[in-house]
Amino acid sequence: MKEELNELYAELDAVKSSTLEYLPEYGYSPKEEIIQLIEEDIHELEEELEGISFDYEEDELEEERRLLCQSQGLSRGC
């Protein structure tokens, strides 16, 4: 999730630094609309991250996920 958040911040910076009013990579949507949508996504993701219990370290959590998938006969990409 942190990686996704970092990607959103990078995307937001790229959109803000664009000199175009309508962005072709977003279907020629207005720049301000795209900024607003990205900021909403960032806000939602930050709220979700705040709601996660940090009883586990990131490595421990990943190990738990891996073991759960393994016990169910699934790949880690589950």
Side-chain angles (χ1 to χ4, degrees), residues 10-19 23 31 35 38-39:
E11 183 178 2
L12 180 62
D13 289 340
V15 170
K16 283 184 174 181
S17 67
S18 174
T19 58
L23 304 173
K31 179 179 174 178
I35 290 172
I38 295 171
E39 287 175 343

Side-chain angles (χ1 to χ4, degrees), residues 1-6 45 48-49 52 58 65:
M1 271 195 216
K2 290 179 183 179
E3 291 176 18
E4 185 179 348
L5 187 59
N6 289 336
L45 193 55
E48 190 175 333
L49 281 170
I52 294 176
E58 190 65 33
R65 290 177 180 148

Side-chain angles (χ1 to χ4, degrees), residues 59-77:
D59 293 342
E60 293 173 328
L61 187 57
E62 181 59 32
E63 180 67 12
E64 288 289 326
R65 290 177 180 148
R66 187 188 66 74
L67 290 173
L68 177 62
C69 290
Q70 185 181 16
S71 71
Q72 296 177 0
L74 303 170
S75 69
R76 172 53 191 108

